[in-house]
Amino acid sequence: MSLVRPFDKLPTLNSAVILLVGTDERRQQQLAEAILKEKKNFKINIHVATSLPLPAERDHVRPRIDLIAFMINMQSKHSLRNVEASLSHIDANFFLGKVCFLITGVGRMNHCSVEMNAVRKLGNLYCSPVLFCELDSEGIRVATAQRLLRMLQICAGHVPGVSALFFSSLMKSSIDE
Amino acid sequence: MQQRENAKNPKQTLQVRHSSFSAWQIGERTTGPKTLDLKSAQKHEKEKQQSASDQAGNSTQDHLEQALTYFERVKDYIPLKKNEVLQKHLATVENIALQRGLSPEGLDVLLNVALSGHLADTVNSRILKCLIPASVIAESSVVSAVSWLCVGKCSGSTQLLFLRWLIAMFDFIDHKEKLHALYGFFFCSLQDEKLCPYVCHLLYLLTRRESVKPFRVRRLVDLQAKMGMQPHLQALLSLYKLFCPELVSITLPAKMKTYFKNSESLWKAAINTIRRRNQGTSPTSQQLILGTCHPQSRKRKWNTQLILPACSTNTNNPTRSKEINHADILSHSESFPVEQLHTFSQLLQNLHRLEFPSQMGSVLRNSLLLHYINCVKDESIYLRLYYWMGQTLQEECTWYKLDNQQYEEEFKDFLDIVYKTECFLQEGFSSCEEFLYKSLPLWDGFCCRPQILRLVSWIPLSSFSEMKPHLCEPLAQLFFTSSLYFKCSVLESLKELLQNWLNWHVMQLDMESDPKISPLNTTLSGLVNSVAELIHFVGWISTVALRLENNATFLLYFILDFYETVCDVYLKYNLPLLLMPPPGVFYPALLSMDSVSLNQLCYIMYRYRTNLVAAKENELIKKTILQFKFSSQTYQEYNQYIMAMVGCLWTSSAFQKDIHPQGIRLDPEVLKKTRVQEVRNSFNIVHHPALTGYAILFLQQAWPKDKTLNFNLIKGRRWNWYLEYLYMQGLQGLKLFIESSINRVSQVSQTKSGNVQV
């Protein structure tokens, strides 16, 4: 029903769609703006949601989603729980390289309410890469936007010879095993 | 300026003061400090208004002096409650101390009163918390403060706070000789369970080789037996063991993460503020220093500045030199003060009587002392340096603090210094390694990028199994998702890492021939394995990167640069290891559009050949069973590559001769279907996309009138001219390759040639 699926729609030519899911809307907004500012040779669509499932009624107008980035703030247990709850609303095929976790707020160790292990476990459980970034700092935000764009390009099939699945196998770390 | 503001708008100033006040109070356990503050503030306001109207020129300095006189006269117990005078003076002192720091005299007065037991505990702790030196702390004040501890008038919590203060301010104390004389006293305080961790830390800072005595070792071991394996006790014991290994027989864990709790946190912010204030405008200030000039104090200057003072500062003060002599006679008759060390010859003359400064970090900027470190080979020096460095790296690391430009600049500066020191000593620090392992998995790939990547190149050679999860995997994750330039810089630093490891190996070989020095503790096979793993890792990420970046020439340059080191490992570094690049690197380079990459590849293949031939000859000459033989696989791979190359560039048979499984061999049927004319020679030195440009220029020069660009004219004698032309254009790698690997049957023929199989 309202499950988000990676392959149920046809891709649009020369465009890629990323979905940002997270409770912190301000940071989401900032990150989306940073992504849009980057130079790229394809059209980019950014969808934002605080949680999944996405509303079913607009499903027919929504384009195919190439990459889902879940944003978790280490300072808020709620953000982690929200992501965990949202994960059940996406199709398993997404985990073949079309999901990543963005972790913010690792810096202030003393204020972390989410354990590092919980985050790593999550990444391992869902076979998806975990990226650390402090979105409050301008420079890091730009760097993160660039990294996301690269992944998005691959997930949307714009890099010849590299598929999302292949890429996710590269990003997998053996520590978690 | 401040005073004028006061006069104009006393209320506003007051508010500012008040807020800074309560911020300071948060950490305190006292009950109801806010109401107290309010009262004192109100009182203060009245006074301020009065004084402002009376005497505009009077400054806060007067208030401070009044307060200090007040505290100096305290002779009996004074309660805090309802004592507005005390509260007022306390507020003045706190305010000024946190803003500008206190003079040595002021510190002396306040220390005395805080430890005398005349005031309530909350007042004592407030006083201690604001004892921020503007410049230095006189040794005598510390000594007299310690004497108060002996009287036992102050409470346990005040004693504890004082010890923490002493640890935090250790580097601000101008001399330490008398303090050293109190070593025994501090040692006795170890038995107090609450004070013990802090006393240990203090002793750790104070300990010299002479301080280590058998009875002290026994005492410590007893304590450890009683209290269990405490990190602070272990720290002190391991220092003792380093100084006198014969006295400490128990085994201690080799690596410890943190020995001591952080004592500085209470004062750190204030120290930083004052430091910035003193440093004035320069934003990229030095790390960890109070940047003021203190001509009257030699130690202080040394400790804070990270550089040696200029000669002039300590030549013209006769009383001070007397003082030095006196101090030297007291405890350390032999030591040569490091700050008088200016020239290399001085270093040579005083090599036997040098003592390191109490703050090890200061050696980082002093090349003479680094020379000294290099030649004394004293483990304890490294332990002190690593301990300090590890802690600093951890505390100052920018991606743990947020959005603080200034901190980032300072941290970058610091990382630069550490890197330079590593280059100077030609040695990686284990504290840096630990820091990288700990923080790389959390790195965003942006903060201090050049600095961090340069530190990677100095990771000490260790087993790769440890390095893989901590370094390679986080680095690979960043590598794959980041920009082309990031990829290139990672490759560059991995190349330097490889070179550093190989250099280290060569050094070890040299030392082994010297019988006095014990042989290295890593086996040769361990070393070979680690190096091989590193090369494989780089080969893997390079293959993927070329794919991701669509065979970018810029990237290929860095990859081939790495292999320029790899191909010469046997001859240049005497390590029995030769690994061919993976096909994912070899073929993109062979078929690249750029003559630079092709030329580089030719040079690399030539070096591989030289190395392999040398290895084969050595095997034949020695006839002994060598411990390490290149596997036949290396030769096989080399031969496959060389056949592909010669087929491509020379014999125009690329699609037939290539026998590599991942090569470019194609069935004639398939080739026919492409309908490309003269498929066979499309990659020879005339038609190769990287070289056609040269071919066109050559044709234009040789037949200026012919506009048809008939490449087929280049054959026979002209083929040789063309070759000479290519060599003249700077394609030296190609020249070396062709001259070594291609057996030219006759000078005229260009088809009859073959490769030499080694």
Side-chain angles (χ1 to χ4, degrees), chain A residues 106-109 116 120 130 132 134 136-137 139-140 143 147 150-151 154 161-162 167 170-171 173-175, chain B residues 399-400 402-403 441-444 446-447 469 473 477-478 480-484 487 540 544 547-549:
Chain A
V106 202
R108 286 159 285 190
M109 286 286 193
M116 189 59 83
R120 287 198 197 286
V130 178
F132 295 93
E134 293 306 338
D136 289 337
S137 134
I140 304 179
R147 291 178 73 188
R150 274 169 184 277
M151 294 175 68
I154 291 165
V162 185
F167 193 69
L170 295 176
M171 297 289 284
S173 64
S174 61
I175 323 169
Chain B
W399 55 94
Y400 297 136
L402 297 173
D403 224 15
L442 303 178
W443 190 34
D444 48 53
F446 179 77
C447 270
E473 280 171 5
Q477 274 204 359
L478 285 165
F480 293 137
T481 49
S482 296
S483 67
L484 176 65
K487 291 189 173 93
W540 174 63
V544 178
R547 253 288 181 66
L548 290 174
E549 300 293 339

